[in-house]
Amino acid sequence: MEHIHLQTTLGDKVIVIERATRIPVLYRSWSEWRFERLRTGALPPPLLLPRDSCFCALCWGAGRFYEPAPNGEGDVPRTCPACQGSRIQR
């Protein structure tokens, strides 16, 4: 993850802008930034799915698919019959 580092003229305060989110964060010092980076960097990324499951193969994880409307005016969503709209299968 890349950062843009800007040191302000207000003493030793530091503004760090993450390139992924573009949100500026004000830290009291570089030491505080380093500590926060080590603390959050050590956490594993959250799982999208439980380990014993996978996305539904019929709806590709959408939970629904579209079919022609009975009156012929476009498509209407229908709940996936395989996963019942839960989007995952075990």
Side-chain angles (χ1 to χ4, degrees):
M1 190 179 322
E2 295 181 28
H3 297 82
I4 300 172
H5 311 293
L6 303 171
Q7 190 156 358
T8 66
T9 57
L10 302 172
D12 59 348
K13 301 213 183 304
V14 177
I15 297 174
V16 177
I17 301 174
E18 302 238 359
R19 289 196 181 190
T21 60
R22 296 279 186 206
I23 299 174
V25 181
L26 180 65
Y27 293 100
R28 285 177 264 163
S29 67
W30 282 111
S31 298
E32 183 183 11
W33 173 80
R34 285 187 198 101
F35 175 76
E36 184 67 21
R37 182 152 165 80
L38 288 174
R39 187 183 70 80
T40 58
L43 299 175
L47 295 175
L48 296 175
L49 294 172
R51 294 188 190 275
D52 62 341
S53 62
C54 63
F55 284 116
C56 177
L58 184 63
C59 66
W60 292 30
R64 65 179 180 222
F65 54 91
Y66 292 91
E67 62 182 13
N71 62 2
E73 295 182 5
D75 295 335
V76 293
R78 188 175 125 207
T79 302
C80 176
C83 67
Q84 302 300 320
S86 68
R87 303 183 310 174
I88 59 172
Q89 291 180 335
R90 293 184 185 256

